[in-house]
Amino acid sequence: MSDTETKTRPAPKAAVILTAAAEQRVADLMAKAPEDAIGVKLSTPRRGCSGLAYSVDYVSEETKFDEKIETPGGVFYIDGASVLYLIGSTMDWVEDDFTAGFVFENPNAKGACGCGESFMV
């Protein structure tokens, strides 16, 4: 291959894999989103007794280093500062008779608080 030829690389995998249920929840959220919302964003603010928490909110503008994932129901963003804590994670939406919420399987988490509100890396 000469120095001028273009190399083709496979598209990188998303930092977080969304299950079908999580994608459907993003679609449900976007169906009732505020008018200025362009997507849903996952971040890991410092909170709780273990250090970091998962936070999912509407977002009204793109931020330069955020990861953008196109889903069938809308755009899902991952906060650029949070990506390193989330690489390889799976995000699911779980509902039962008493609770409903996003559930994360995060291989980077070294521990979590007893109530499940926060995690440490």
Side-chain angles (χ1 to χ4, degrees):
M1 180 179 299
S2 74
D3 291 338
T4 59
E5 288 184 55
T6 303
K7 295 179 184 176
T8 302
R9 296 182 186 181
K13 284 185 167 182
V16 175
I17 304 301
L18 280 73
T19 66
E23 285 186 351
Q24 181 58 55
R25 182 60 181 165
V26 169
D28 295 345
L29 288 169
M30 289 308 296
K32 60 183 179 184
E35 191 173 302
D36 66 337
I38 62 168
V40 175
K41 185 174 183 175
L42 170 62
S43 61
T44 56
R46 296 203 174 281
R47 184 169 65 214
C49 51
S50 289
L52 298 171
Y54 300 105
S55 178
V56 179
D57 299 291
Y58 291 114
V59 63
S60 58
E61 62 183 40
E62 288 188 11
T63 304
K64 186 175 182 177
F65 295 107
D66 287 354
E67 182 167 330
K68 182 178 179 180
I69 302 170
E70 300 282 348
T71 74
V75 180
F76 182 75
Y77 294 90
I78 302 171
D79 174 64
S82 300
V83 169
L84 288 177
Y85 305 125
L86 299 168
I87 292 173
S89 296
T90 300
M91 180 174 145
D92 195 10
W93 177 258
V94 177
E95 289 185 50
D96 63 26
D97 289 342
F98 301 102
T99 61
F102 287 110
V103 175
F104 298 87
E105 183 179 311
N106 186 344
N108 306 296
K110 304 292 185 229
C113 65
C115 64
E117 191 69 24
S118 61
F119 69 100
M120 68 183 97
V121 290

